[in-house]
Amino acid sequence: MATDGKLADVIPITAAAGASRRRQVAAAARREAAAHNLNGQRLGRKGRDTRDRIIAAAQDIILDPAGDGSITLSEVARRAAIRMGTLYLYFADLTELILAVLEPVMATVEDEYVHLVREYWPDKELHARAERFVRAYFDFWTRHSRILHLRNSMADRGDERMLVHRVRSAIPVMRLMVTQMDSRPMERGTLTSSTATALMTGLERVATVMTDDKMTRVLNEPVNPLAHLLEAETRIFELAIRDQRKLNRTA
């Protein structure tokens, strides 16, 4: 198994290169999809402007401080000053539109927090590295809580495409966490992969709860619980990674 320094020389470079290639392919696919309407007609400048206006209207509704985070296609059409028939030329349903709103948000995850896991965390720096990652992940959720809460609530209601999006957005980080534990990232069904899954599931849950306006009002206590929760998550990551490294190095 790898030890401090060795993995840092090999894994981050190849993993980063692969991630960069995947992002390029995904971006090309998104550009191609956005270049046509649902009738297969290539979009001109007017068509691209209309599509962008629909997405902007959806963003405005989701981020409206006076709103409750809910959204309907009819409301989007009204806000964008277009007919429903025109909207359906660009988006087949609400899920497709929300996925388009999510695209620029998810395009930032590499710079926001994923890059922090690509570099191997030395044993002596585990707490500091884990803290940086946990806080960066929470900051990302804070900045984009409205759209992320909407995605998760749609997934919880049985929207399969939103569920797939939610799961796929977490998988790359889980695999990198497996690497942090001195194991191969593609291994499945192992204690290491299960530990990585539990860590990220717990972190997402904390971020979800602490960026929920209703929940934060309920948890309004004299001592701010957020600092304690983030420190607890940091310690959980540190202890789990340290323990799993020990098991994998002696296996």
Side-chain angles (χ1 to χ4, degrees):
M1 289 297 172
T3 56
D4 288 5
K6 293 181 182 179
L7 191 61
D9 293 336
V10 179
I11 294 297
I13 296 175
T14 56
S20 176
R21 176 59 181 163
R22 288 193 295 273
R23 290 197 301 274
Q24 291 173 3
V25 171
R30 289 194 298 269
R31 287 194 298 270
E32 182 63 22
H36 299 79
N37 65 22
L38 296 187
N39 288 335
Q41 300 168 321
R42 180 168 287 277
L43 298 181
R45 181 175 179 179
K46 182 178 179 181
R48 291 194 299 271
D49 288 346
T50 300
R51 186 179 188 276
D52 290 343
R53 191 162 79 249
I54 293 170
I55 294 174
Q59 291 172 327
D60 289 344
I61 293 169
I62 294 167
L63 297 176
D64 187 350
D68 59 2
S70 62
I71 183 173
T72 63
L73 287 178
S74 59
E75 187 180 7
V76 173
R78 182 185 61 78
R79 184 77 65 101
I82 61 172
R83 296 180 179 179
M84 286 295 294
T86 301
L87 188 151
Y88 280 122
L89 283 174
Y90 298 91
F91 300 99
D93 52 29
L94 182 61
T95 297
E96 193 171 294
L97 174 56
I98 299 306
L99 288 172
V101 176
L102 278 163
E103 281 182 9
V105 173
M106 302 313 295
T108 69
V109 297
E110 178 67 31
D111 293 334
E112 294 269 9
Y113 60 84
V114 175
H115 74 282
L116 296 173
V117 199
R118 292 197 185 281
E119 183 179 353
Y120 189 78
W121 298 352
D123 289 340
K124 294 181 180 179
E125 300 176 17
L126 264 180
H127 185 87
R129 296 295 190 98
E131 182 177 35
R132 283 182 62 195
F133 171 75
V134 166
R135 290 187 177 277
Y137 184 88
F138 180 79
D139 288 345
F140 170 80
W141 257 86
T142 301
R143 279 189 289 274
H144 306 292
S145 60
R146 282 293 187 94
I147 184 64
L148 294 175
H149 276 288
L150 178 59
R151 178 199 67 181
N152 288 3
S153 66
M154 292 175 72
D156 291 340
R157 291 196 300 269
D159 190 313
E160 186 173 342
R161 283 172 291 170
M162 285 302 178
L163 179 59
V164 169
H165 186 282
R166 183 180 186 180
V167 172
R168 285 183 176 174
S169 66
I171 286 176
V173 182
M174 291 178 184
R175 288 177 175 170
L176 289 169
M177 281 296 167
V178 170
T179 300
Q180 291 292 344
M181 298 174 196
D182 288 347
S183 188
R184 296 179 180 178
M186 298 307 294
E187 289 183 354
R188 299 179 182 180
T190 64
L191 178 58
T192 304
S193 63
S194 297
T195 300
T197 300
L199 287 174
M200 287 309 300
T201 301
L203 180 58
E204 190 206 45
R205 185 57 184 163
V206 167
T208 301
V209 169
M210 296 312 297
T211 56
D212 186 325
D213 293 339
K214 296 182 180 130
M215 188 66 71
T216 52
R217 284 196 296 270
V218 171
L219 296 177
N220 185 21
E221 302 174 1
V223 178
N224 183 4
L226 174 59
H228 297 295
L229 282 170
L230 294 181
E231 176 60 20
E233 281 293 333
T234 297
R235 293 183 64 192
I236 289 170
F237 270 77
E238 176 191 4
L239 294 172
I241 293 172
R242 194 181 301 280
D243 180 67
Q244 201 59 47
R245 281 182 182 179
K246 182 179 179 181
L247 291 175
N248 287 335
R249 289 171 182 175
T250 57

